[in-house]
Amino acid sequence: MLALLIERPTYVYELSQRFDDRFGELLPVATGTVYKAVDGLLKRGLVERMAVEGEEDRRQPKPHYRATADGARTLRQSLADDMRGDPFQAEMLQRLMSVSVQDARAMLDLVDRYERVCLEQLGMLPPVPVAVGETRTSFAALRGELVAEERRLTLEAQMKWVAYARRRIGAVNGGTGEM
């Protein structure tokens, strides 16, 4: 809900419709649940009511909401944290970038967080496996080695993507990719 409000401020019923259009097949949610979610976000200071011209003259006003700056930061942090151990990190990153990143600084912040998650996961992997050609005493040990090496190689590829993303953001932003 927060990501959709970052994308475009709106009133709750429209937010519910947008959520259903985008995610309804995977995660159906009743409109009442959306009202509760927005209320919770409001209480946490992640969204705020916004004034809409002419709204106060309506018999039944539709309060509109938008994300606060803290809401946008919290969403980016939460989604980056959720990527830890998630085999679908790339998909999560793509979804995050598609709804909540509005400028180069925010995009670089996301890339930095993504890099930290990758480095943290690299640090948790066991030492580099033995050289090819050496024999193992059990298939269980070999299985563990192969799983760890697949993860290591994946993380190294993700780190290459981080460098690429910084270069591309810098090129589009007219700078070096640093803010």
Side-chain angles (χ1 to χ4, degrees), residues 53-102:
E53 191 172 321
E55 191 63 31
E56 65 277 352
D57 298 332
R58 291 178 58 115
R59 196 171 66 138
Q60 290 185 322
K62 298 178 188 175
H64 283 64
Y65 298 91
R66 67 176 167 215
T68 62
D70 188 44
R73 277 190 305 276
T74 299
L75 178 68
R76 287 193 303 269
Q77 178 64 50
S78 173
L79 290 174
D81 289 347
D82 287 347
M83 287 190 289
R84 287 182 172 85
D86 184 349
F88 301 104
Q89 286 181 358
E91 181 180 346
M92 177 72 78
L93 182 64
Q94 180 183 1
R95 287 182 185 184
L96 174 61
M97 292 181 83
S98 70
V99 296
S100 68
V101 176
Q102 304 295 328

Side-chain angles (χ1 to χ4, degrees), residues 14-179:
E14 182 195 352
L15 179 65
S16 177
Q17 291 177 321
R18 286 174 46 212
F19 185 90
D20 189 54
D21 289 345
R22 195 165 299 171
F23 306 108
E25 290 181 23
L26 299 171
L27 184 64
V29 174
T31 302
T33 303
V34 177
Y35 277 94
K36 288 178 186 176
V38 170
D39 188 49
L41 293 169
L42 188 61
K43 287 177 182 173
R44 291 176 52 205
L46 303 177
V47 300
E48 62 189 1
R49 278 185 79 160
M50 56 185 280
V52 176
E53 191 172 321
E55 191 63 31
E56 65 277 352
D57 298 332
R58 291 178 58 115
R59 196 171 66 138
Q60 290 185 322
K62 298 178 188 175
H64 283 64
Y65 298 91
R66 67 176 167 215
T68 62
D70 188 44
R73 277 190 305 276
T74 299
L75 178 68
R76 287 193 303 269
Q77 178 64 50
S78 173
L79 290 174
D81 289 347
D82 287 347
M83 287 190 289
R84 287 182 172 85
D86 184 349
F88 301 104
Q89 286 181 358
E91 181 180 346
M92 177 72 78
L93 182 64
Q94 180 183 1
R95 287 182 185 184
L96 174 61
M97 292 181 83
S98 70
V99 296
S100 68
V101 176
Q102 304 295 328
D103 59 30
R105 183 176 304 281
M107 195 172 285
L108 284 171
D109 182 49
L110 176 65
V111 170
D112 289 345
R113 292 173 192 273
Y114 186 76
E115 179 183 40
R116 284 193 298 272
V117 169
C118 291
L119 289 171
E120 179 182 298
Q121 290 181 6
L122 274 169
M124 293 186 311
L125 290 175
V128 177
V130 297
V132 176
E134 290 188 31
T135 59
R136 288 281 189 179
T137 57
S138 74
F139 280 102
L142 178 60
R143 184 178 57 236
E145 174 188 316
L146 292 175
V147 168
E149 188 60 10
E150 183 277 335
R151 188 68 190 129
R152 182 184 332 281
L153 293 171
T154 299
L155 287 164
E156 288 173 359
Q158 289 168 324
M159 294 301 293
K160 287 181 181 180
W161 176 87
V162 165
Y164 169 79
R166 283 197 178 111
R167 285 192 308 274
R168 291 295 298 137
I169 294 166
V172 169
N173 196 43
T176 63
E178 300 297 324
M179 298 298 285

